[in-house]
Amino acid sequence: MSGVSSRLPVFPWDKLEPYKATAAAHPDGIVDLSVGTPVDPVPELIRRALVDAADSPGYPTVWGTAALRDAIAGWCGRRLGARDVAHPNVLPVVGSKELVAWLPTQLGLGPGDRVAYPRLAYPTYEVGARLAQAEPVVYDDPAELDPAGLKLLWLNSPSNPTGRVLPKEDLVRIVAWARRHGVLVVSDECYLELGWEADPVSVLHPDVCGGSYDGLVAVHSLSKRSNLAGYRAAFLAGDAAVLGELLQIRKHGGMMTPAPVQAATVAALGDDDHVREQRERYAARRAALRSALVGHGFRIEHSEASLYLWATRDEPCWDTVGYLAERGILVAPGDFYGTAGERFVRVAFTATDERVEAAVERLG
């Protein structure tokens, strides 16, 4: 029996280990800007909600509590401008990464089907296609794809890794094209709350979807906006027929968000103050690192949103990774996200203020 893992690319982060060791040998320690993992505390009101729901001996449901569905629907209306989002239009998931990896399989895709995603992209889009034995396809402009056999089109705005935001008019054009050809659009909008030089728009906004969610699903996560990466709290919103089918499949698979996490999600989605505070922290770190990198001779492209700076010294990315590792700074090589990134590095600004300050000093 051949292992399923043989269908998958090599896990990229393992290749970074020697550079991590070099950076860790710096006298003042490593500044790890490679993974965009939150480092700031979970807001108190969210922790309190989790603790208050800790006595949850029974099984949670896959669809979540009515309070959770209300919270998701309310947030979609308030934050995304989405209209008439009802319970059939929402579905909690166990963090967004499992959803991205398993969505093609759960949609019943397989050999002969095609899954498209941006040329520079989060590697799990490709992983999901390969797990389902569908064909992964990259694009620069999705409307230039051959629609034959194309079953799933991933959008990612704001982008990981580049921080690029798709303008509203591009979203309108892409959605119209996908609907003409019967292609399901799934828009990964996990960084939507983190626009800096652009205001990201959801595919669920009425100006984009025309008031109908047919053929559209948006993916959202609380990992970045609320420092909840450790909680695995995320959700889908959009086409009720697609989400209804996923709900049935996920019931059989037991893909349940733990009850305390559901309660914490309700609290997180109901409060905007902690999101503003976290944005301010990230804005300050972003400004400091951007200025230091540019002053050191780097060029920053895109990066108008998300938690990353897409930076280059116009050399192979691994040379840049090595150069920065010698200064005790670890970053992600751009080729982790596709061959188009081979002369860039992705610099996360999710480190503590103290570590960001250390990086700025070393680049100064």
Side-chain angles (χ1 to χ4, degrees):
M1 189 172 91
S2 64
V4 174
S5 65
S6 64
R7 296 179 205 157
L8 305 180
V10 175
F11 188 65
W13 293 94
D14 293 343
K15 293 192 279 188
L16 207 52
E17 285 303 316
Y19 298 89
K20 189 173 188 176
T22 300
H26 190 280
D28 182 38
I30 189 172
V31 177
D32 192 343
L33 308 178
S34 63
V35 184
T37 189
V39 296
D40 299 302
V42 172
E44 176 59 31
L45 89 159
I46 300 174
R47 280 187 277 171
R48 198 162 56 241
L50 184 87
V51 170
D52 288 348
D55 186 16
S56 295
Y59 289 111
T61 66
V62 171
W63 203 18
T65 60
L68 176 59
R69 284 175 261 139
D70 282 343
I72 294 171
W75 182 86
C76 288
R78 190 175 77 249
R79 184 63 189 84
L80 306 182
R83 291 185 194 143
D84 304 319
V85 178
H87 286 202
N89 300 112
V90 302
L91 180 65
V93 295
V94 193
S96 58
K97 184 167 185 171
E98 68 86 356
L99 183 279
V100 173
W102 293 107
L103 182 62
T105 299
Q106 290 176 14
L107 290 172
L109 305 192
D113 296 324
R114 297 160 75 230
V115 174
Y117 51 87
R119 189 172 299 283
L120 276 166
Y122 183 48
T124 313
Y125 304 134
E126 178 188 355
V127 166
R130 291 191 182 281
L131 283 170
Q133 294 184 282
E135 181 191 347
V137 181
V138 298
Y139 66 77
D140 295 306
D141 180 345
E144 292 173 1
L145 288 166
D146 176 358
L150 183 61
K151 297 294 173 68
L152 172 58
L153 171 64
W154 282 105
L155 300 181
N156 180 210
S157 175
S159 160
N160 172 17
T162 68
R164 181 177 173 227
V165 172
L166 287 173
K168 188 192 288 182
E169 53 271 24
D170 280 7
L171 290 173
V172 170
R173 177 177 60 82
I174 292 163
V175 165
W177 177 87
R179 282 174 164 167
R180 270 199 312 278
H181 296 289
V183 178
L184 176 66
V185 173
V186 182
S187 180
D188 180 348
E189 302 175 352
C190 289
Y191 296 91
L192 185 128
E193 298 264 29
L194 297 160
W196 311 110
E197 293 156 16
D199 190 14
V201 179
S202 172
V203 291
L204 304 186
H205 192 284
D207 289 354
V208 175
C209 71
S212 163
Y213 302 134
D214 289 352
L216 302 177
V217 175
V219 183
H220 285 275
S221 165
L222 283 82
S223 295
K224 317 299 184 185
R225 73 184 289 281
S226 300
N227 303 335
L228 295 188
Y231 283 46
R232 311 316 299 136
F235 60 88
L236 307 179
D239 189 323
V242 174
L243 298 191
E245 176 68 8
L246 290 175
L247 174 59
Q248 295 308 314
I249 292 159
R250 293 172 69 85
K251 280 180 180 177
H252 284 291
M255 302 175 99
M256 300 172 277
T257 304
V261 174
Q262 292 189 30
T265 301
V266 172
L269 291 176
D271 179 73
D272 295 328
D273 290 342
H274 77 275
V275 180
R276 273 193 294 274
E277 288 168 19
Q278 190 59 43
R279 272 182 58 88
E280 285 166 13
R281 290 187 195 107
Y282 284 143
R285 292 167 188 164
R286 177 181 182 273
L289 280 170
R290 185 181 186 116
S291 174
L293 287 165
V294 170
H296 200 79
F298 282 82
R299 189 174 78 254
I300 310 291
E301 287 194 3
H302 301 303
S303 307
E304 59 254 32
S306 84
L307 288 177
Y308 313 108
L309 294 166
W310 189 238
T312 181
R313 299 206 316 158
D314 293 307
E315 66 184 4
C317 59
W318 286 99
D319 291 357
T320 309
V321 170
Y323 173 84
L324 289 172
E326 294 289 347
R327 285 149 186 79
I329 300 168
L330 189 67
V331 298
D335 68 1
F336 276 11
Y337 308 94
T339 54
E342 58 195 10
R343 296 178 78 81
F344 286 81
V345 293
R346 192 193 74 169
V347 184
F349 42 89
T350 52
T352 63
D353 292 343
E354 183 274 330
R355 287 289 84 188
V356 167
E357 203 174 299
V360 169
E361 204 170 287
R362 295 173 199 183
L363 291 167

